[in-house]
Amino acid sequence: MNPFGDLASITRVDEPMAAHTSFGVGGIVRYFIQPQNTEQFHLIYQRCHHAGYPIRVLGRGCNVLVADGYHDWAVISTRRLDRYQRTGNRVQVDAGLSLGRLVRLAERWGLGGLEPLAGIPGSVGGAVAMNAGGRAGCIGDHLVRARVAFPGGLAREMDTSELGLGYRSSYLVDGRPCLLSATFRLEPVPTQRLEASRKGYIQQKRESQPMAWRSAGCIFKNPPGGSAGQLIDQAGLKGTVIGDAVVSEMHANFILNRGHATATDILRLIDLIVERVFDVHGVRLEPEVKIWRSEHSPAATPQPHGKEQPWASRTAPESPSSTADALTNVLSR
Ligand code: EPU
């Protein structure tokens, strides 16, 4: 019996996750639910926990790799939770608002601080959970309050200091507990300056990262004091291919879906990179991307690597078949 039968208008059954992730890969989930507002989201979230039904909370799918196969989960999407409210220098937004939209809204209001996040895809909820950012700062720098749902309990207002924000991490990852809305405190800055700054950050990203391709952004966290991209590059792995997944020639910490990659291709490439970087540098890279799998999922098993591997090869330089389309997709997320 479908435990979400009364939510038929917002529930899809047997939904392919390839349609909801920036990688464009992934298996099928039993239930995909799109609540219309934070109140409905919270009720569904609590109901799943009370029923012991396995859930995953999905933002815009930009930092998630869902294993191939069938998953008996309810995926609750935050995509439609997109309300926002400005009060003076404070901006309160729901978890599903796209980060790009938030940056543009703040710019329009003449409120500065979030421009270093320009060009980072995804939702506010995912960005806070991962404490997304770059060299110029991260989202936690301007976050002052968060409304958080707890499994089996009520929603609670929390101070930023209670969220365990660290380098690409927080207590909110994997939806347990889960962000409902966030409040940022920003500084007045002329809109024109903010616009110039936003364009500058996007330009920098375009020049150094393969933004036109399907990916999940940086695949590994930087190790303390080092750069994952540099280590992968120095290990000679740029251009390494498994199936239709490839290590970017432009930035080695990106794995790209050249068109028909599977999650298994990408998982195998991750394993290969981890092993090779460990062999060459003695550093064990840790994935930044969140890997979702069921116990029975086809796991990427560590395999011996070398010239004899049939599934690892070098590739031609990157040339997306439709760069403009792909770029539009990435930037509109
Ligand atoms: N490098 C190489 N080869 C490469 C890539 C990088 O030698 O293929 C070198 C660069 O030349 C540079 C160093 O590695 O000296 C660091 O590279 P970069 O400046 O590109 O920054 P990053 O540490 O790789 C981080 C974030 C990015 C963010 C950029 C810019 C992480 C894991 N990555 O990248 O975030 O966009 O800074 O601020 O923290 C993401 O989180 O998804 C992401 C892409």
Side-chain angles (χ1 to χ4, degrees):
M1 203 190 88
N2 178 351
F4 307 106
D6 57 321
L7 300 170
S9 63
I10 57 163
T11 303
R12 295 189 203 163
V13 179
D14 292 348
E15 181 72 0
M17 291 304 287
H20 301 284
T21 57
S22 56
F23 256 137
V25 305
I28 309 279
V29 298
R30 177 162 293 184
Y31 300 112
F32 184 83
I33 311 172
Q34 289 195 294
Q36 305 294 298
N37 52 52
T38 49
E39 294 76 19
Q40 191 179 36
F41 175 93
H42 190 206
L43 287 174
I44 295 167
Y45 175 82
Q46 301 296 59
R47 180 159 144 189
C48 290
H49 279 292
H50 285 138
Y53 201 87
I55 65 162
R56 299 285 188 280
V57 175
L58 186 74
R60 286 176 181 242
C62 296
N63 207 41
V64 172
L65 174 56
V66 184
D68 295 320
Y70 191 82
H71 306 290
D72 191 4
W73 307 328
V75 169
I76 315 177
S77 163
T78 64
R79 184 172 273 268
R80 301 214 175 122
L81 317 182
D82 59 357
R83 290 176 304 195
Y84 55 85
Q85 188 182 10
R86 174 202 175 181
T87 313
N89 290 356
R90 286 183 177 235
V91 180
Q92 185 183 356
V93 302
D94 285 351
L97 191 77
S98 96
L99 195 54
R101 183 94 202 282
L102 173 59
V103 171
R104 296 292 286 260
L105 282 167
E107 179 181 313
R108 206 211 295 158
W109 291 326
L111 293 175
L114 299 175
E115 341 47 277
L117 304 172
I120 299 179
S123 65
V124 169
V128 170
M130 293 300 299
N131 198 12
R135 272 166 292 163
C138 47
I139 194 162
D141 298 344
H142 298 276
L143 184 70
V144 285
R145 301 279 289 163
R147 186 161 179 78
V148 174
F150 286 87
L154 295 174
R156 186 158 90 76
E157 289 287 333
M158 297 179 78
D159 287 333
T160 309
S161 59
E162 297 177 277
L163 301 176
L165 292 173
Y167 169 62
R168 301 293 176 271
S169 66
S170 78
Y171 297 147
L172 304 175
V173 286
D174 297 332
R176 286 181 296 259
C178 174
L179 187 85
L180 294 173
S181 62
T183 304
F184 300 93
R185 187 170 51 221
L186 305 171
E187 312 90 46
V189 177
T191 291
Q192 274 179 335
R193 253 179 56 203
L194 293 175
E195 184 185 353
S197 178
R198 170 176 55 83
K199 288 183 173 166
Y201 282 111
I202 291 180
Q203 187 58 26
Q204 273 174 27
K205 264 177 122 43
R206 284 210 178 108
E207 285 165 5
S208 60
Q209 299 179 4
M211 292 176 74
W213 287 78
R214 303 207 79 151
S215 79
C218 284
I219 203 92
F220 295 103
K221 294 182 183 182
N222 284 334
S227 156
Q230 195 166 42
L231 295 176
I232 299 166
D233 189 356
Q234 287 169 352
L237 289 167
K238 277 186 169 177
T240 304
V241 174
I242 293 183
D244 228 9
V246 60
V247 178
S248 168
E249 295 278 2
M250 192 179 202
H251 194 302
N253 199 11
F254 282 67
I255 291 179
L256 312 177
N257 175 0
R258 293 195 302 186
H260 299 97
T262 63
T264 307
D265 293 338
I266 296 167
L267 287 165
R268 283 180 165 176
L269 199 46
I270 289 173
D271 279 352
L272 184 146
I273 294 167
V274 169
E275 283 181 36
R276 192 74 61 88
V277 166
F278 187 74
D279 287 351
V280 173
H281 301 289
V283 174
R284 194 159 289 282
L285 293 178
E286 188 190 329
E288 178 193 304
V289 64
K290 295 289 156 199
I291 300 172
W292 291 3
R293 43 178 138 208
S294 302
E295 273 169 29
H296 62 273
S297 298
T301 48
Q303 307 196 13
H305 51 78
K307 284 198 179 98
E308 72 282 3
Q309 280 179 332
W311 36 261
S313 62
R314 304 286 298 174
T315 183
E318 287 151 26
S319 59
S321 50
S322 174
T323 304
D325 285 359
L327 192 59
T328 308
N329 286 340
V330 169
L331 291 179
S332 64
R333 276 198 295 266

